[in-house]
C-alpha cells in the first residue's frame, strides 16, 4: 500500500488531532497517538509538525483568522444594533463551522490558555467587549449580551448531534428574545414612610 501524499497526511493529522484532543484533552494526547491514529510513522508526522504546539497553532490559526474577520465586519457597521447583530450571527456561524474546536475550547481550559492561542484570544475578547459593552447601554442589556455570548459554547457542547441549521436558528432566536428591549419600568424610589413619634 502506497504511503499517503504529504498534503493528504497533513489534513489527516489535523483531523486526528481534533478527534484525540476532544477525547483525551490536549495534555493527554501525544504525537505518537496522533501518528498511530493516522497510520503513519512519527517521522512522517514530524515532516509537518515537530511539536504539539506547532500542531495546535495550525489548528487554531484558521479559526481565529475567521473570528477576526467576523469582528472586522461587525466593527465596520454603523450603529450599535447593527454591529451587535453582525457579531452574534457571525459568532454563531463561526462556532458551528468549527464545532469540534469549540467543544475542545469549552472543555479543555489548557487550550485557550496555551501560549500559542492565548494572546490572540485575549485580543479578540477585548474587541468583542468593545462591540458589546457600550457603557451607554443599560446594565441589564450588557449582562444579557455577555450571558448570550458565553452560553453559545455550552450549547454547542451540550447538543453535538443537533443539526447546524436547527441549532443556529434556536441560538439566534434566544439572542433576539434575550436582548429585545423591554419596557422600562419606573425605577423611582417609593416614598419613604417616616415613623411619626407618638405624642402622649
Amino acid at each position: 500500500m502506497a504511503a499517503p501524499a504529504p498534503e493528504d497526511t497533513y489534513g489527516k493529522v489535523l483531523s486526528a488531532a481534533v478527534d484525540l484532543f476532544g477525547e483525551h484533552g490536549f495534555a493527554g494526547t501525544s504525537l505518537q497517538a496522533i501518528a498511530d491514529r493516522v497510520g503513519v510513522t512519527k517521522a512522517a508526522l514530524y515532516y509537518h509538525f515537530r511539536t504539539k504546539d506547532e500542531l495546535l497553532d495550525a489548528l487554531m490559526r484558521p479559526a481565529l483568522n475567521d473570528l477576526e474577520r467576523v469582528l472586522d465586519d461587525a466593527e465596520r457597521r454603523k450603529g450599535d444594533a447593527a454591529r451587535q447583530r453582525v457579531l452574534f450571527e457571525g459568532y454563531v456561524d463561526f462556532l458551528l463551522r468549527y464545532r469540534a474546536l469549540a467543544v475542545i475550547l469549552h472543555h479543555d481550559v489548557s487550550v485557550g490558555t496555551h501560549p500559542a492561542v492565548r494572546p490572540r484570544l485575549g485580543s479578540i475578547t477585548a474587541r468583542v467587549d468593545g462591540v458589546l459593552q457600550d457603557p451607554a447601554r443599560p446594565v441589564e442589556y450588557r449582562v444579557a449580551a455577555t450571558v448570550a455570548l458565553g452560553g453559545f459554547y455550552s450549547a454547542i457542547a451540550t447538543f453535538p448531534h443537533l443539526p447546524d441549521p436547527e441549532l443556529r436558528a434556536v441560538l439566534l432566536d434566544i439572542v433576539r428574545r434575550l436582548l429585545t428591549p423591554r419596557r422600562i419600568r419606573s425605577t423611582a424610589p417609593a416614598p419613604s414612610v417616616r415613623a411619626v413619634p407618638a405624642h402622649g
Side-chain angles (χ1 to χ4, degrees):
M1 180 175 164
E7 60 274 14
D8 189 38
T9 300
Y10 182 89
K12 288 182 176 179
V13 167
L14 291 179
S15 178
V18 170
D19 290 343
L20 288 168
F21 291 166
E23 295 168 15
H24 307 291
F26 178 75
T29 301
S30 66
L31 288 178
Q32 183 64 62
I34 296 171
D36 291 344
R37 178 68 64 93
V38 176
V40 298
T41 64
K42 201 170 180 180
L45 189 149
Y46 278 160
Y47 176 81
H48 300 287
F49 307 105
R50 297 295 301 178
T51 66
K52 275 200 306 179
D53 290 356
E54 288 182 8
L55 203 164
L56 181 64
D57 178 66
L59 276 176
M60 295 300 300
R61 195 182 328 115
L64 296 179
N65 287 346
D66 275 4
L67 186 51
E68 287 181 334
R69 280 191 283 271
V70 169
L71 279 160
D72 291 341
D73 191 13
E75 290 167 344
R76 282 193 295 265
R77 301 304 173 107
K78 295 185 181 297
D80 287 342
R83 281 195 292 271
Q84 291 166 8
R85 177 183 57 78
V86 169
L87 174 60
F88 278 116
E89 290 181 358
Y91 192 58
V92 168
D93 289 337
F94 159 78
L95 289 176
L96 292 173
R97 187 160 53 248
Y98 297 98
R99 204 163 178 168
L101 282 180
V103 173
I104 290 170
L105 279 167
H106 178 72
H107 289 307
D108 191 346
V109 177
S110 69
V111 173
T113 58
H114 191 279
V117 178
R118 185 173 184 175
R120 288 191 71 186
L121 274 184
S123 172
I124 287 169
T125 299
R127 291 178 65 187
V128 169
D129 286 346
V131 173
L132 293 183
Q133 299 301 325
D134 180 358
R137 288 275 193 174
V139 67
E140 179 188 17
Y141 181 94
R142 288 183 281 141
V143 170
T146 302
V147 169
L149 203 68
F152 288 160
Y153 273 112
S154 296
I156 294 290
T158 304
F159 301 98
H161 303 300
L162 203 61
D164 287 359
E166 184 177 353
L167 184 54
R168 182 183 192 274
V170 170
L171 288 174
L172 292 179
D173 181 61
I174 289 171
V175 169
R176 280 190 289 269
R177 285 189 280 123
L178 194 60
L179 300 184
T180 296
R182 297 173 175 82
R183 289 182 180 178
I184 300 175
R185 293 173 297 191
S186 173
T187 55
S192 58
V193 178
R194 293 185 178 180
V196 178
H199 295 281

